[in-house]
Amino acid sequence: PENFKQWLTEQGLDHISFHRRVGANFKVEALRTKIAEARLSEYFIERKLFLDKIVLSRIVVESRELAEELLCQIEEGASFENLAQEYSIADDRIFKGMMGLVSRGSMPDKLRAEADKVGEGELVGPLEFEERWAIFRVEKLQFASLEDRQIRQSLENELFEQWIGEKLRTTPIKLQVS
């Protein structure tokens, strides 16, 4: 009790203002959940492509011939990582070709379409991008779910902010100037 009393003092609060603040936070949280509830599933489906993530590695080279040769070497057992360090012209070559976590929605359509056909550890390509050729390896697939508390809360926050923004745009405000 003494520690709590000291903390209240440090925060510039008393018991009444603390209880009001906590109560207000619970009310805002309940309102946020209630507002988002009606559209959450539909909104999740709309945003799912951008919520799904994929971890990719790549080797980017200047010619189709070199890309095809490297693909053959990988299929025969050569190390993707070593070939990426040696041949790739992309900046991620220093990370052995590892691009990291990428939103599926931000991927070029043809890469996403091909990556969707394979599983983890499998290769995609060679594919042409901006006059260069790339071989990709799907490292990990991370599919979004509404069961994920963090995703659910993020979507609820987005919907609540949209609702507040709409209320601010459509609510007439009258100012009385004396």
Side-chain angles (χ1 to χ4, degrees), residues 139-153:
E139 303 292 347
K140 185 169 175 53
L141 299 167
Q142 192 176 30
F143 296 106
S145 165
L146 261 180
E147 304 303 313
D148 182 317
R149 188 171 179 255
Q150 196 171 17
I151 289 174
R152 183 180 199 90
Q153 191 167 27

Side-chain angles (χ1 to χ4, degrees), residues 32-136:
R32 182 181 65 82
T33 301
K34 185 170 177 63
I35 295 300
E37 182 176 44
R39 279 210 57 230
L40 190 59
S41 293
E42 175 189 341
Y43 190 62
F44 172 73
I45 292 167
E46 289 172 14
R47 301 266 298 122
K48 186 162 180 6
L49 185 62
F50 290 92
L51 297 170
D52 288 342
K53 307 284 186 209
I54 185 169
V55 178
L56 292 171
S57 293
R58 69 179 175 179
I59 300 172
V60 180
V61 294
E62 295 285 347
S63 72
R64 180 186 185 111
E65 294 76 22
L66 179 55
E68 288 173 349
E69 172 60 31
L70 294 174
L71 180 61
C72 287
Q73 288 182 34
I74 294 166
E75 289 172 342
E76 292 172 0
S79 166
F80 185 98
E81 293 82 0
N82 291 344
L83 293 175
Q85 278 187 311
E86 186 175 344
Y87 291 98
S88 186
I89 58 175
D91 291 341
D92 46 42
R93 71 183 283 173
I94 61 174
F95 302 110
K96 300 181 179 182
M98 177 66 72
M99 293 175 61
L101 197 60
V102 179
S103 163
R104 286 184 59 245
S106 67
M107 294 168 56
D109 291 340
K110 67 181 171 183
L111 173 57
R112 183 175 54 250
E114 293 300 314
D116 285 348
K117 296 176 186 175
V118 302
E120 292 181 1
E122 294 187 57
L123 300 172
V124 172
L127 298 175
E128 185 179 18
F129 295 99
E130 299 173 4
E131 299 179 22
R132 295 191 173 150
W133 291 85
I135 302 167
F136 296 88

Side-chain angles (χ1 to χ4, degrees), residues 11-23:
Q11 301 302 313
L13 298 170
D14 57 20
H15 283 281
I16 294 170
S17 59
F18 173 75
H19 284 284
R20 283 183 186 147
R21 184 178 290 180
V22 169

